[in-house]
Amino acid sequence: MTNNSENFTVRVMKPEKLQTLTRLFDYNNVGEMLAENRRRIESGAGDIFCLYFGELLIGELHVSYSGEDPHKTAQGRAYLSAFRIHKDFRGRGLGKFLLRTVIQRLTDCGYNELTVGVEDDNDRARHIYESFGFTELLARKREEYQGDSYEYNLYIRRSLSAGQVQKRNF
């Protein structure tokens, strides 16, 4: 999807471009992040939807289609995580543009439930997700990533029409 007036596009990240994610987040272990995301993408367990301004990466939203946690992913359910917009581009509606685009693509593929984790102190994210229908609390979660511990509420968005999940072709 393209916003022609300002040259914003949403594309699925290719494994060879994963290094560019360091522009948006300061990873404790870049090598571990690269290997983990390469495995997820190449196995079909997930995708990373990226927002670009021209060829400049300015946002990301990770989607998991499968995993060990049945709260996050199950038949017809995908999990959204690592939703980031570069600080120089915030406050312009670009996060909503990215989220709307990803939700539409997942819905078009038949995903009728989407989950997202929101930390207690992230009011901005909670507000955005609520405006997109993530209002039902599914579970309270705690996990670690690269030595950092996170506690969050897992919210679910259920669509009104349940479809059959199609093969992703992003």
Side-chain angles (χ1 to χ4, degrees), residues 16-55:
E16 60 272 11
K17 300 284 188 179
L18 286 167
Q19 182 71 35
T20 62
L21 293 176
T22 60
R23 172 174 164 68
L24 300 174
F25 189 75
D26 187 20
Y27 292 91
N28 293 339
N29 184 329
V30 173
E32 179 183 304
M33 177 277 292
L34 294 172
E36 174 187 335
N37 283 302
R38 178 176 295 280
R39 278 191 307 273
R40 285 180 58 247
I41 292 169
E42 290 176 349
S43 71
D47 282 309
I48 302 172
F49 290 84
C50 295
L51 178 63
Y52 291 89
F53 177 62
E55 292 302 313

Side-chain angles (χ1 to χ4, degrees), residues 28 119 141-152:
N28 293 339
E119 293 178 67
K141 296 294 202 178
R142 179 179 171 85
E143 62 185 58
E144 289 195 24
Y145 182 72
Q146 293 196 349
D148 295 323
S149 182
Y150 300 94
E151 270 192 60
Y152 59 91

Side-chain angles (χ1 to χ4, degrees), residues 41-162:
I41 292 169
E42 290 176 349
S43 71
D47 282 309
I48 302 172
F49 290 84
C50 295
L51 178 63
Y52 291 89
F53 177 62
E55 292 302 313
L56 180 65
L57 175 68
I58 62 167
E60 67 181 296
L61 179 55
H62 296 227
V63 178
S64 296
Y65 307 111
S66 62
E68 296 177 10
D69 187 343
H71 283 114
K72 292 179 180 179
T73 57
Q75 180 63 32
R77 180 183 296 173
Y79 175 63
L80 311 180
S81 64
F83 181 27
R84 301 182 183 100
I85 300 295
H86 189 278
K87 62 181 172 46
D88 294 344
F89 290 86
R90 292 181 189 150
R92 297 170 57 181
L94 296 170
K96 289 180 180 179
F97 173 67
L98 175 58
L99 184 58
R100 183 180 310 107
T101 301
V102 171
I103 288 173
Q104 187 60 57
R105 289 186 186 181
L106 294 172
T107 300
D108 290 348
C109 287
Y111 286 91
N112 55 46
E113 295 180 343
L114 304 176
T115 57
V116 65
V118 183
E119 293 178 67
D120 296 339
D121 62 348
N122 197 340
D123 292 330
R124 172 182 258 165
R126 187 171 34 257
H127 175 74
I128 290 172
Y129 288 127
E130 284 175 359
S131 73
F132 279 86
F134 291 90
T135 55
E136 181 184 339
L137 179 62
L138 190 60
R140 180 77 177 161
K141 296 294 202 178
R142 179 179 171 85
E143 62 185 58
E144 289 195 24
Y145 182 72
Q146 293 196 349
D148 295 323
S149 182
Y150 300 94
E151 270 192 60
Y152 59 91
N153 287 327
L154 185 68
Y155 292 96
I156 189 165
R157 174 187 190 271
R158 301 177 197 269
S159 75
L160 298 175
S161 61

